[in-house]
Amino acid sequence: MTYIRLDKLRQQYKPQMPATFKVGYELMETPFDYPEDDYEMVKARFPHTFGLPLLTFKMLEESHLSDPTIYFDPSLRSGAKGTRQTLFQSERPLHVGVLFSGGQAPGGHNVVAGIYDALKRHSAQSRLYGFLMGPGGLLRGEYKELTGELIQQYRNSGGFDMIGSDRTKLEKQEDLQKVLQVAHDLALNALVIIGGDDSNTNANLLAEYALSIGDPLQVIGCPKTIDGDLKNEYVETSFGFDTCVKVYAELVGNIQRDCFSAKKYYHFIKLMGRSASHLTLECALMCQPTMAIISEEVKARKITLSLLIGQIADVIQERSAKGLTFGTILIPEGLIEFLPGVKELIQELNRIPLETTAPIREEIAKASHQQEHEAKTACDDDRHRVQEIASRLSRENSELFLMLPMDIALSLATERDPHGNVQVSRIPTEQLLADMVKAELEKRRSEGLYEGSFSVLTHFFGYEGRSSMPSNFDASYCYSLGLCATELIVQGKTAYLATLRNLIAHPTDWVPTGLPLTAMMDFEERGGEIKPVIGKAVVDLKGAPMRYFRHHRKEWASGVAFRYPGPLQFFGPSAICDNTTITLRLEQGLSAYENSEPF
């Protein structure tokens, strides 16, 4: 018997790419209209990288293809604006370093493969070095040369395990100096940083520092984050988002199929996305759940925790009257921080001295080792602890704190990170909402307003999505990003983000682009200091995806409109498995329901 291993099979998948990189291009430079927000601050902080033009790789027209001076593989640096690039095998080898920064995102290995293939096309003597465990490995000078044999093992695979990743910041001058020294030791021409908003902020800081001291190192970024919050007019989506939502949507669809089969459970499902709700919105568009909560809408409409609980309970009560005692509710990971009043509560809890809560933490730790019947006797003590903490809070925060289930309240007050702050990411928001909705329904039952049953199950989909094998879209998108990053290096560019536009079209029609990193820069207060950062893109409440969601959510809540996407990332009709997200297609003006199905 022979077995087909998907990981081996995926290695043979051939990513598609823009025709620009097959035929040849003209590099077009367009003056960029920088945002007015923080314009002067960005210009002052980045004097050497501010004001760069937008770069567009424009495919050569057919009439140029017969020109004997035009060959495949662009390698000459651009001199004049908008000049046609002669394309030929370069005699000048390039040494390039690459690293992953931040959390994993499907497709990262294909970015590296794209860089490698493009470098080797330019010169067989070009070399690619991967820094081990991200920026931290770069600072330590830990690397390995990435060979064709090694890269072949990782093509179209998930994770970042080829070289690893971490979250080390590159912002202090001494760190930037170390980076340049490592680059000199390896005779690097360029460094490609594959990461999200913070990582590409650091890429801009490094590029600015290198230029300020006359160092020739080029720095190019690539947009990575499964949360989808690194996007703008020129970055239509970050890589990994497409794969992640397809994985989550398959899981949500599986739960919905079980939910509709059993007809007795409400499933509260939390999805990744602390700063933005793009994942939750896209999964809602794909799966049509009973309810989906969008953090940005909660904040904009000032929906308090008690009001949100009431809204969920209303839907459950109305469905119960129709004999529907089941459903699915999608919840973004960062919801808790968007609720009015919760942010203020967290800030005040952060101000309670650690030594004040330390005895409480110790008692909880001891209680966790007690037998079950002994733990029950500690319930009154827990209530006393909650009341004691509440007495130290302002009236508004005290009332909100006392609304919370006891275990959540104690967790908020006593679990701190190394900096002494409440660990918001560890709050089980899905359980918090489930418990509070259950309490609200019991209250209504006692008042004779509700007679239905309510059984609940909770889920959190996080790591399940971020290291999956990349979808066909992400496999091609990431490979093309690697090609684009290399062409920017070949053209002598620095402080640019490699990206592609027109992503709803076939990959051959994608438009490779170089976006100045400073074009995305804002300033925020972090740790008491005003620092340059690439701002996170949140869900646009006036955008087409959100308008579509608002138009249909009452219909989904009142009955059963479940969809079950299934594992469509890799195989099947190209119109299904190769398509990108509904979100992006709606944003680009195409209907998500051009046919009878939403794909």
Side-chain angles (χ1 to χ4, degrees), residues 381-410:
D381 292 337
D382 289 341
R383 289 195 184 93
H384 176 72
R385 295 185 188 107
V386 170
Q387 291 286 349
E388 181 184 359
I389 296 168
S391 68
R392 303 171 193 158
L393 302 173
S394 64
R395 182 178 62 81
E396 294 82 1
N397 288 338
S398 178
E399 291 176 356
L400 177 57
F401 186 69
L402 292 173
M403 278 182 56
L404 303 175
M406 195 170 1
D407 58 337
I408 301 293
L410 284 173

Side-chain angles (χ1 to χ4, degrees), residues 443-464:
K443 176 175 173 290
R444 295 184 184 191
R445 189 190 305 279
S446 67
E447 296 171 351
L449 301 175
Y450 176 69
E451 298 179 354
S453 62
F454 179 69
S455 297
V456 64
L457 295 172
T458 60
H459 315 265
F460 174 35
F461 297 147
Y463 294 100
E464 294 87 344

Side-chain angles (χ1 to χ4, degrees), residues 202-488:
N202 294 336
N204 202 165
L205 290 170
L206 177 59
E208 175 70 25
Y209 180 72
L211 287 174
S212 72
I213 63 172
D215 191 282
L217 182 71
Q218 300 165 241
V219 185
I220 302 296
C222 283
K224 172 236 67 166
T225 170
I226 63 169
D227 291 350
D229 55 13
L230 179 56
K231 63 184 295 181
N232 51 52
E233 180 182 354
Y234 301 96
V235 184
E236 295 178 356
T237 188
S238 52
F239 82 75
F241 179 76
D242 181 86
T243 304
C244 196
V245 292
K246 284 174 177 170
V247 171
Y248 290 161
E250 178 189 353
L251 296 174
V252 171
N254 293 347
I255 287 176
Q256 290 188 156
R257 179 73 79 176
D258 186 89
C259 178
F260 198 19
S261 300
K263 295 182 172 62
K264 62 180 180 180
Y265 294 115
Y266 274 92
H267 295 264
F268 284 60
I269 306 169
K270 184 171 71 174
L271 302 171
M272 269 195 170
R274 179 168 177 179
S275 299
S277 306
H278 298 291
L279 284 168
T280 299
L281 177 57
E282 175 65 21
C283 281
L285 296 176
M286 293 181 73
C287 299
Q288 301 183 175
T290 307
M291 291 185 72
I293 302 166
I294 305 301
S295 296
E296 292 85 342
E297 184 178 40
V298 167
K299 180 179 180 180
R301 295 176 57 189
K302 299 181 179 179
I303 300 174
T304 63
L305 180 58
S306 59
L307 181 58
L308 179 60
I309 296 302
Q311 290 177 349
I312 298 173
D314 288 344
V315 169
I316 294 172
Q317 183 173 331
E318 291 168 7
R319 289 173 63 82
S320 178
K322 299 177 181 180
L324 301 174
T325 57
F326 60 91
T328 53
I329 299 172
L330 305 188
I331 304 160
E333 179 186 15
L335 172 65
I336 195 78
E337 294 184 89
F338 285 78
L339 290 164
V342 174
K343 186 174 183 179
E344 291 75 14
L345 169 61
I346 291 171
Q347 289 174 342
E348 189 167 4
L349 286 171
N350 283 336
R351 291 195 292 269
I352 296 178
L354 281 176
E355 59 269 18
T356 305
T357 58
I360 300 174
R361 293 200 306 277
E362 292 173 4
E363 291 176 30
I364 293 174
K366 292 177 182 177
S368 66
H369 296 293
Q370 294 178 350
Q371 296 297 322
E372 183 176 353
H373 71 279
E374 293 177 326
K376 290 179 180 178
T377 63
C379 188
D380 290 338
D381 292 337
D382 289 341
R383 289 195 184 93
H384 176 72
R385 295 185 188 107
V386 170
Q387 291 286 349
E388 181 184 359
I389 296 168
S391 68
R392 303 171 193 158
L393 302 173
S394 64
R395 182 178 62 81
E396 294 82 1
N397 288 338
S398 178
E399 291 176 356
L400 177 57
F401 186 69
L402 292 173
M403 278 182 56
L404 303 175
M406 195 170 1
D407 58 337
I408 301 293
L410 284 173
S411 175
L412 266 177
T414 61
E415 295 185 11
R416 305 292 182 89
D417 65 17
H419 304 287
N421 296 318
V422 171
Q423 300 194 75
V424 179
S425 61
R426 294 192 180 182
I427 298 172
T429 313
E430 69 282 16
Q431 191 65 55
L432 167 66
L433 296 185
D435 290 346
M436 295 188 73
V437 168
K438 183 176 183 179
E440 173 63 19
L441 291 173
E442 288 303 318
K443 176 175 173 290
R444 295 184 184 191
R445 189 190 305 279
S446 67
E447 296 171 351
L449 301 175
Y450 176 69
E451 298 179 354
S453 62
F454 179 69
S455 297
V456 64
L457 295 172
T458 60
H459 315 265
F460 174 35
F461 297 147
Y463 294 100
E464 294 87 344
R466 70 182 197 174
S467 286
S468 169
M469 293 181 189
S471 63
N472 287 355
F473 172 84
D474 268 331
S476 296
Y477 180 41
C478 290
Y479 187 76
S480 299
L481 283 174
L483 299 178
C484 185
T486 304
E487 298 305 332
L488 289 168

Side-chain angles (χ1 to χ4, degrees), residues 99-109 111 159-160 165-167 193-200 221-231 235 237-241 466 474 477-478 481 497-499 520 536:
L99 61 83
F100 296 126
S101 179
Q104 292 75 252
H109 290 148
V111 179
F160 282 176
S165 179
D166 78 350
R167 298 180 184 276
I193 294 178
I194 303 170
D197 50 311
D198 282 346
S199 304
N200 282 291
C222 283
K224 172 236 67 166
T225 170
I226 63 169
D227 291 350
D229 55 13
L230 179 56
K231 63 184 295 181
V235 184
T237 188
S238 52
F239 82 75
F241 179 76
R466 70 182 197 174
D474 268 331
Y477 180 41
C478 290
L481 283 174
L497 184 78
T499 186
M520 300 184 290
K536 294 182 181 295

Side-chain angles (χ1 to χ4, degrees), residues 125-157:
Q125 283 72 48
S126 291
R127 305 178 78 172
L128 180 63
Y129 299 94
F131 290 99
L132 306 180
M133 301 311 295
L138 174 61
L139 289 175
R140 295 187 296 272
E142 298 174 355
Y143 64 90
K144 64 181 176 183
E145 183 171 357
L146 303 181
T147 64
E149 182 179 4
L150 174 64
I151 287 175
Q152 180 58 35
Q153 299 173 35
Y154 288 93
R155 291 179 187 268
N156 309 308
S157 66

Side-chain angles (χ1 to χ4, degrees), residues 110-123:
N110 271 27
V111 179
V112 177
I115 295 170
Y116 178 85
D117 289 352
L119 285 174
K120 289 299 184 180
R121 284 203 303 267
H122 281 291
S123 171

